[in-house]
Amino acid sequence: QSVLTQPPSASGTPGQRVTISCSGSSSNIGSNTVNWYQQLPGTAPKFLIYSNNQRPSGVPDRFSGSRSGTSASLAISGLQSEDEADYYCAAWDDSLNGPVFGGGTKLTVL
Amino acid sequence: QITLKESGPTLVKPTQTLTLTCTFSGFSLSTSGVGVGWIRQPPGKALEWLALIYWDDDKRYSPSLKSRLTITKDTSKNQVVLTMTNMDPVDTATYYCAYRHWEGFDYWGQGALVTVSS
């Protein structure tokens, strides 16, 4: 059981916009910034979003993040087949004194 | 260019101690704000944070595994070592080390699959 809650799966067709939610609590998302990671099949996770909505260099602007209260979301617009991957949210948890991850969402491009 | 690579045994027996080494390049673990963390992922399951060490030797551990974990750094060798005692088959996972600068894990190693079996 992960500390942050994500839907196990999401799907969309090419060109569509999809969103993935991440629910936490006051000790993590409610008081700290949210990160998102993309894990393509058989590879290590890749840093996708930091500080709730900032993209590291090289990440396409099709990816965007937001946070409100104790929840966050990742939006992917103009969905492409290469976006098919697992997506994880994460945030620092003040109670656990370390970072916590969500359970991951498997995105399927139909 | 920041790179990290995990090394260690691929197979350990139950009750044994696992020692994993993360060798990195492209940054210094003596730079303010920099840290190296360990994260694992059982086959088909989610990411789980294990431990984190910062430039000032501040160490953080997952509360659920704290009694079994030790993280150390050797700045001169550009290495971070994680030891996990009393290994169990449920600890079978891919173990990643990752670079952290203030927030998030910016760069990850390729991962090392560790199987716990007699």
Side-chain angles (χ1 to χ4, degrees), chain A residues 10-97:
Chain A
S11 63
T13 56
Q16 203 173 23
R17 182 178 187 270
V18 297
T19 61
I20 297 171
S21 62
C22 176
S23 178
S25 67
S26 57
S27 64
N28 41 66
I29 295 178
S31 53
N32 296 290
T33 55
V34 178
N35 313 132
W36 289 90
Y37 300 87
Q38 176 193 57
Q39 187 176 31
L40 297 171
T43 69
K46 171 190 171 184
F47 203 28
L48 199 63
I49 296 286
Y50 68 98
S51 294
N52 305 321
N53 54 19
Q54 301 299 302
R55 290 182 305 275
S57 174
V59 174
D61 59 6
R62 302 186 296 105
F63 294 90
S64 62
S66 64
R67 180 190 71 168
S68 178
T70 59
S71 295
S73 63
L74 173 71
I76 308 171
S77 60
L79 198 62
Q80 299 179 4
S81 57
E82 55 261 41
D83 297 333
E84 191 160 282
D86 294 325
Y87 292 85
Y88 293 90
C89 59
W92 189 268
D93 192 293
D94 293 333
S95 296
L96 300 178
N97 212 15

Side-chain angles (χ1 to χ4, degrees), chain B residues 40-109:
Chain B
R40 71 179 179 180
Q41 184 173 36
K45 295 189 177 182
L47 301 170
E48 179 186 20
W49 170 69
L50 301 177
L52 183 56
I53 189 166
Y54 286 104
W55 83 101
D56 58 356
D57 210 38
D58 183 15
K59 301 169 186 178
R60 308 294 176 95
Y61 297 100
S62 168
S64 62
L65 294 166
K66 184 175 183 177
S67 63
R68 299 173 53 204
L69 297 173
T70 302
I71 189 169
T72 60
K73 64 181 175 70
D74 186 329
T75 306
S76 64
K77 292 184 178 179
N78 281 355
Q79 290 182 332
V80 171
V81 175
L82 180 76
T83 60
M84 180 180 290
T85 62
N86 195 23
M87 293 293 284
D88 183 272
V90 300
D91 296 313
T92 293
T94 296
Y95 287 75
Y96 296 100
C97 64
Y99 164 88
R100 185 178 182 91
H101 189 219
W102 296 119
E103 173 195 355
F105 293 106
D106 307 53
Y107 299 92
W108 296 61

Side-chain angles (χ1 to χ4, degrees), chain B residues 11-67:
Chain B
L11 179 66
V12 297
K13 290 181 168 48
T15 75
Q16 285 188 335
T17 294
L18 170 68
T19 299
L20 290 171
T21 300
C22 176
T23 303
F24 56 85
S25 63
F27 67 94
S28 171
L29 200 36
S30 58
T31 299
S32 179
V34 171
V36 172
W38 286 93
I39 303 100
R40 71 179 179 180
Q41 184 173 36
K45 295 189 177 182
L47 301 170
E48 179 186 20
W49 170 69
L50 301 177
L52 183 56
I53 189 166
Y54 286 104
W55 83 101
D56 58 356
D57 210 38
D58 183 15
K59 301 169 186 178
R60 308 294 176 95
Y61 297 100
S62 168
S64 62
L65 294 166
K66 184 175 183 177
S67 63

